[in-house]
Amino acid sequence: MSDKGGFDTNVLTLTRFVLEEGRKAHGTGELTNLLNSICTAVKAISTAVRKAGIANLYGIAGSTNVTGDQVKKLDVLSNDLVINMIKSSFSACVLVSEEDEKALIVEPDKQGKYIVCFDPLDGSSNIDCLVSIGTIFAIYKKTTNDDPSEKDALQPGRNIVAAGYALYGSATMMVLSTGQGVNCFMLDPAIGEFILVDRDVKIKKKGKIYSLNEGYAQHFYPDVTEYLQKKKYPEDGSAPYGSRYVGSMVADVHRTLVYGGIFLYPANVKSPKGKLRLLYECNPMAFIMEQAGGMATTGSMNVLDIQPTTIHQRVPVVLGSPDDVQEYISICKKHNK
């Protein structure tokens, strides 16, 4: 901290951080613009989330308020915010949102070279009970010279240029990776800026927490059942793992990143292809995990190696501390010989 009564006069904001990274990479500034626009959307969503109860923002989409204006549900509002902010940055050409059935092609006069896949408000079913929710995004570069189309978004996670998530919890945090490690920024409401609080975050090699919805236990495949049995009744006399499950992917993955352990949303008899979406849930989170020294698998392959076939494709996902994920993979191999 600098002097002047404990006020930092040389604070490292997310904007400044991204500018510095861009300069090091001799970039054009387009990615910096894009990340800044996402930042602005996240700040606005954060404000809306904090005011949700007071402003009735979680009412039914399409209901009207006293002045006759349309009241938008938080997830619709968040989607509009992210889309409008990205479009106005002149840095993207194709947008894939969890809220929209088809990819959005940016108007030709506003197009840039990036593709953004995002979930504007992940865990929005938790809004009414004040559980943490978040925004997830992954950014790719357009690889062809054709006119932008939905096909441009069908790239494996290995092609991600930058990915991150915002968590609207007890504070608002932005976790970001541009392929040079993972950094965490906290929103300081006093100056309206994200401040770097954790640089080059690394996940523990092995954790003590597992996280999944055990309500589906009767539908689990035998490999998942065996893995859980080992966590609850360890054969080597070690302490059993603790169980934590919020049901909001951003919250569960963030806790896994910070404390270590394993997060699972595996395939089961009812959802044989898994439930979470590859492009804007699994890929960004897998990218962050790998950048932090963790792993992300479907059970049979790395999440980031999957070649997507549709924009809303679902895949099984297990991610977290490398030793924990490795143990899960070896049990899967044994069962699927």
Side-chain angles (χ1 to χ4, degrees):
M1 288 293 253
S2 310
D3 44 17
K4 305 276 191 234
F7 198 92
D8 192 349
T9 55
N10 192 22
V11 64
L12 190 54
T13 64
L14 194 149
T15 307
R16 185 176 151 185
F17 179 86
V18 169
L19 277 167
E20 286 175 10
E21 292 285 299
R23 175 58 69 92
K24 278 185 219 158
H26 306 293
T28 58
E30 212 169 317
L31 183 62
T32 303
N33 277 348
L34 177 52
L35 288 168
N36 270 335
S37 71
I38 292 171
C39 243
T40 306
V42 164
K43 288 177 199 172
I45 295 166
S46 177
T47 301
V49 167
R50 306 274 172 240
K51 288 183 177 168
I54 312 162
N56 286 324
L57 277 167
Y58 57 75
I60 297 155
S63 59
T64 50
N65 61 19
V66 279
T67 58
D69 294 332
Q70 290 285 308
V71 177
K72 289 187 173 177
K73 259 174 82 173
L74 260 178
D75 46 4
V76 178
L77 174 115
S78 304
N79 194 40
D80 290 352
L81 270 167
V82 176
I83 290 168
N84 291 335
M85 290 303 149
I86 292 175
K87 277 185 177 179
S88 65
S89 72
F90 298 91
S91 52
C93 53
V94 180
L95 307 180
V96 172
S97 168
E98 193 259 351
E99 296 284 329
D100 297 302
E101 195 184 334
K102 290 190 159 65
L104 286 150
I105 309 302
V106 177
E107 300 85 343
D109 60 331
K110 289 186 174 175
Q111 282 177 6
K113 65 184 173 201
Y114 292 106
I115 292 130
V116 190
C117 304
F118 60 93
D119 186 344
L121 207 60
D122 184 72
S124 50
S125 59
N126 280 317
I127 292 167
D128 292 6
C129 63
L130 303 186
V131 164
S132 295
I133 47 187
T135 299
I136 314 172
F137 63 91
I139 299 170
Y140 300 82
K141 208 180 257 181
K142 191 173 184 315
T143 55
T144 63
N145 295 320
D146 313 336
D147 286 344
S149 71
E150 197 167 279
K151 279 205 216 89
D152 289 311
L154 300 176
Q155 300 186 38
R158 289 276 168 232
N159 291 5
I160 287 176
V161 176
Y165 59 84
L167 175 64
Y168 312 108
S170 47
T172 297
M173 177 167 267
M174 186 96 136
V175 177
L176 175 70
S177 176
T178 53
Q180 310 291 318
V182 177
N183 296 282
C184 301
F185 302 82
M186 193 85 79
L187 182 61
D188 180 349
I191 59 169
E193 287 283 2
F194 282 98
I195 310 298
L196 180 65
V197 286
D198 288 307
R199 192 189 277 273
D200 200 19
V201 176
K202 293 293 177 211
I203 192 170
K204 287 178 183 160
K205 205 160 172 300
K206 188 174 167 65
K208 296 174 183 170
I209 297 169
Y210 72 89
S211 181
L212 90 164
N213 187 345
E214 291 198 65
Y216 295 132
Q218 74 176 85
H219 305 299
F220 286 163
Y221 291 130
D223 45 10
V224 178
T225 306
E226 184 184 326
Y227 179 75
L228 291 176
Q229 190 69 8
K230 286 195 158 175
K231 297 299 101 186
K232 295 177 192 177
Y233 305 97
E235 290 153 4
D236 58 3
S238 60
Y241 274 38
S243 169
R244 298 281 185 278
Y245 187 70
V246 178
S248 183
M249 189 195 191
V250 178
D252 282 313
V253 171
H254 187 66
R255 184 202 52 250
T256 305
L257 177 67
V258 174
Y259 295 154
I262 190 166
F263 167 82
L264 311 95
Y265 211 120
N268 61 41
V269 175
K270 273 182 87 174
S271 309
K273 290 182 173 167
K275 182 149 179 286
L276 298 177
R277 270 68 54 110
L278 175 62
L279 262 62
Y280 41 80
E281 290 176 325
C282 302
N283 268 344
M285 292 309 200
F287 184 77
I288 293 273
M289 273 297 157
E290 286 203 7
Q291 284 290 320
M295 289 178 74
T297 181
T298 61
S300 60
M301 72 183 292
N302 273 0
V303 171
L304 295 179
D305 292 329
I306 300 169
Q307 173 59 53
T309 50
T310 60
I311 60 170
H312 297 295
Q313 183 175 339
R314 297 174 191 267
V315 295
V317 64
V318 173
L319 53 79
S321 295
D323 290 4
D324 290 313
V325 176
Q326 203 56 63
E327 185 185 356
Y328 175 78
I329 293 170
S330 54
I331 288 172
C332 288
K333 277 188 181 148
K334 186 178 86 178
H335 280 268
N336 298 306
K337 273 180 182 165

